[in-house]
């Protein structure tokens, strides 16, 4: 069976969706049974560049799509859905099967903001899919409650625990070191985290935080300098895989104080690396992080976030216990091979027209 993934470019775009696409395409488990290619329909960059790439991408798609049996279409909110709707309509007119994989952290808020005509487009988008994949059980229930669809199933993001093994380290001597991975900006809670660090360093001047990712890098650097936190907060920008392993190894806790999320790959990577987790009660995060393996606060609660930082910095044994539980949980529940085995079953069921 030949499968084509449709989503952002693995080379010219960044983020968790790109990682999911790459993991599926490179999967040894899926590769035993399926021939999987990826088709880039989006790149990061200025609006004119993105628009031109999208138009040219669709024209290229028309030349190649007929040789594939099944389409795995990755989508987020806003323009992503309307672009992918065009691809979906094309493959369904040709009698092909299609799976829609919903990644957007603010998808339902986006839908609720639409006018009647655009809501109808999104309704049709989900109605045409042979299967919809949600990132968590909670998302699955919400999508089923909002949209009419043939079938919806949960597929958690996965993590390659073996690749993260070199980042596992003893928290002794690292309990003051924190790491945030991902796009820097308001949605991810970056500015809340800087404010929380400002509060926390008053009690523990030894705290250190690395903000690693793309997004509003220069704005974040300027704020760190303005607050006089240069000695406590570093902002290296986007880092490659080897650098990520190094930063994870040096840290004891991964922090992601987001306002909106699906199931963040950064949290799964932190768990696989045996780190404690500080995050917020949004999206699928509470399905993954609890009192036994991390600390959750309300989004925007800067004092609570500061207290979580201080709590982790005081408790080496607690960090060790949370890290061990996270490593075990990542392997047993979110291991990439397990997730891909589940995905392979979904692919087969869709193509066999079984009741999924």
């Amino acid at each position: 069976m030949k499968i084509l993934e449709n989503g952002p470019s693995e080379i010219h775009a960044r983020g968790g969706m790109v990682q999911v696409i790459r993991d599926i395409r490179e999967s040894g488990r899926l590769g035993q049974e399926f021939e999987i290619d990826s088709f880039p329909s989006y790149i990061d960059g200025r609006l004119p560049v993105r628009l031109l790439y999208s138009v040219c991408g669709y024209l290229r798609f028309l030349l190649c799509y007929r040789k594939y049996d099944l389409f795995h279409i990755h989508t987020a909110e806003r323009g992503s859905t309307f672009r992918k709707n065009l691809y979906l309509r094309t493959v369904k007119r040709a009698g092909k099967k299609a799976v829609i994989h919903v990644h957007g952290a603010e998808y339902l808020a986006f839908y609720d903001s639409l006018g009647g005509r655009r809501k109808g487009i999104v309704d049709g988008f989900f109605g045409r899919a042979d299967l919809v994949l949600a990132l968590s059980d909670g998302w699955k229930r919400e999508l089923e409650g909002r949209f009419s669809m043939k079938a919806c199933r949960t597929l958690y993001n996965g993590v390659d625990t073996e690749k993260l093994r070199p980042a596992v380290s003893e928290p002794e001597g690292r309990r003051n070191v924190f790491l945030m991975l991902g796009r820097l900006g308001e949605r991810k809670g970056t500015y809340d985290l800087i404010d929380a660090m400002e509060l926390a360093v008053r009690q523990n001047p030894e705290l250190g935080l690395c903000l690693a990712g793309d997004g509003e890098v220069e704005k974040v650097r300027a704020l760190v300098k303005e607050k006089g936190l240069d000695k406590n907060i570093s902002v290296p920008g986007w880092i490659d895989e080897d650098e990520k392993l190094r930063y994870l190894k040096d840290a004891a806790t991964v922090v992601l104080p987001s306002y909106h999320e699906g199931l963040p790959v950064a949290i799964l990577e932190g768990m696989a690396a045996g780190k404690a987790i500080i995050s917020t009660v949004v999206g699928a995060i509470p399905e993954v992080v609890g009192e036994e393996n991390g600390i959750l606060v309300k989004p925007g609660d800067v004092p609570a976030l500061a207290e979580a930082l201080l709590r982790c910095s005081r408790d080496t044994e607690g960090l060790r216990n949370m890290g061990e539980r996270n490593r075990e949980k990542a392997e047993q529940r979110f291991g990439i091979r397990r997730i891909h085995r589940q995905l392979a079953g979904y692919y087969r069921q869709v193509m066999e027209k079984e009741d999924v």
Side-chain angles (χ1 to χ4, degrees):
M1 184 195 307
K2 299 190 69 172
I3 300 172
L4 186 65
E5 289 189 90
N6 186 314
S9 168
E10 295 180 39
I11 301 172
H12 301 294
R14 294 168 174 169
M17 194 191 306
V18 173
Q19 186 62 53
V20 171
I21 291 170
R22 182 181 295 115
D23 286 344
I24 291 173
R25 182 181 57 79
E26 295 179 349
S27 171
R29 169 62 186 85
L30 292 170
Q32 295 173 3
E33 190 173 351
F34 311 105
E35 182 180 339
I36 302 177
D37 296 325
S38 64
F39 184 90
S41 58
Y42 174 86
I43 59 172
D44 291 337
R46 294 180 296 112
L47 180 59
V49 175
R50 299 200 309 266
L51 289 175
L52 179 61
Y53 189 90
S54 296
V55 172
C56 294
Y58 179 67
L59 295 177
R60 288 188 293 107
F61 180 79
L62 293 177
L63 298 176
C64 72
Y65 80 94
R66 291 187 180 276
K67 65 182 180 181
Y68 293 94
D69 306 298
L70 175 64
F71 296 82
H72 187 149
I73 300 175
H74 299 266
T75 191
E77 62 273 3
R78 302 184 179 88
S80 177
T81 290
F82 297 110
R83 286 195 306 274
K84 303 304 170 47
N85 183 58
L86 184 60
Y87 285 86
L88 179 61
R89 289 174 67 92
T90 299
V91 302
K92 295 308 294 180
R93 280 197 299 264
K96 305 282 188 174
K97 295 297 185 77
V99 174
I100 299 299
H101 199 157
V102 185
H103 297 267
E106 302 175 80
Y107 204 94
L108 294 180
F110 147 73
Y111 177 77
D112 290 339
S113 72
L114 298 176
R117 187 180 68 84
R118 288 196 162 191
K119 278 186 176 178
I121 293 174
V122 179
D123 292 339
F125 178 64
F126 283 107
R128 277 186 286 272
D130 295 283
L131 176 66
V132 175
L133 297 178
L135 295 183
S136 72
D137 291 336
W139 268 41
K140 175 181 178 294
R141 289 190 294 269
E142 289 195 54
L143 290 171
E144 287 177 324
R146 195 69 64 91
F147 303 106
S148 175
M149 54 185 72
K150 296 174 185 175
C152 184
R153 292 292 180 266
T154 300
L155 185 75
Y156 287 107
N157 286 337
V159 62
D160 191 330
T161 56
E162 287 304 310
K163 283 186 179 180
L164 274 298
R165 191 175 293 277
V168 177
S169 58
E170 168 62 39
E172 183 68 43
R174 297 181 173 87
R175 65 186 185 186
N176 287 324
V177 185
F178 299 85
L179 174 65
M180 176 179 173
L181 295 168
R183 182 153 292 177
L184 306 183
E186 186 174 351
R187 181 176 74 82
K188 292 286 187 178
T190 306
Y191 302 111
D192 292 340
L193 184 52
I194 294 172
D195 290 342
M197 278 290 291
E198 185 178 26
L199 294 177
V201 296
R202 295 173 186 171
Q203 296 186 48
N204 183 356
E206 300 302 315
L207 293 181
L209 168 66
C210 175
L211 301 171
D214 60 352
E216 299 173 3
V217 176
E218 294 306 320
K219 184 177 178 181
V220 168
R221 286 173 176 164
L223 182 61
V224 169
K225 185 175 182 179
E226 177 187 321
K227 288 180 175 290
L229 294 171
D230 309 65
K231 293 182 180 180
N232 301 94
I233 302 177
S234 63
V235 190
W238 186 261
I239 56 176
D240 62 25
E241 291 301 311
D242 290 338
E243 291 174 310
K244 182 193 295 182
L245 290 176
R246 178 166 60 83
Y247 280 112
L248 279 167
K249 186 173 184 178
D250 289 343
T253 306
V254 168
V255 190
L256 192 67
S258 299
Y259 283 79
H260 301 279
E261 282 292 353
L263 178 57
V265 172
I267 284 182
L268 298 181
E269 290 176 335
M271 291 171 62
K275 311 303 171 185
I277 303 295
I278 297 174
S279 193
T280 47
V281 285
V282 298
I285 294 172
E287 296 183 33
V288 177
V289 180
E291 293 182 1
E292 76 285 354
N293 64 323
I295 302 172
L296 295 181
V297 301
K298 293 180 180 179
D301 191 340
V302 171
L305 185 55
E307 181 54 39
L309 297 172
L310 290 168
R311 176 180 158 189
C312 286
S313 72
R314 297 175 185 135
D315 189 2
T316 301
E317 188 60 29
L319 290 174
R320 183 180 294 111
N321 291 337
M322 286 191 284
E324 289 175 355
R325 293 183 187 117
N326 274 329
R327 179 74 180 165
E328 180 180 357
K329 193 170 188 177
E331 289 179 343
Q332 293 182 354
R333 188 175 178 189
F334 302 106
I336 198 73
R337 291 165 187 82
R338 179 184 184 279
I339 299 300
H340 287 170
R341 184 165 59 249
Q342 184 180 7
L343 179 58
Y346 290 154
Y347 284 160
R348 288 193 298 270
Q349 291 166 4
V350 168
M351 291 306 296
E352 293 167 3
K353 298 183 180 180
E354 293 182 2
D355 184 5
V356 299

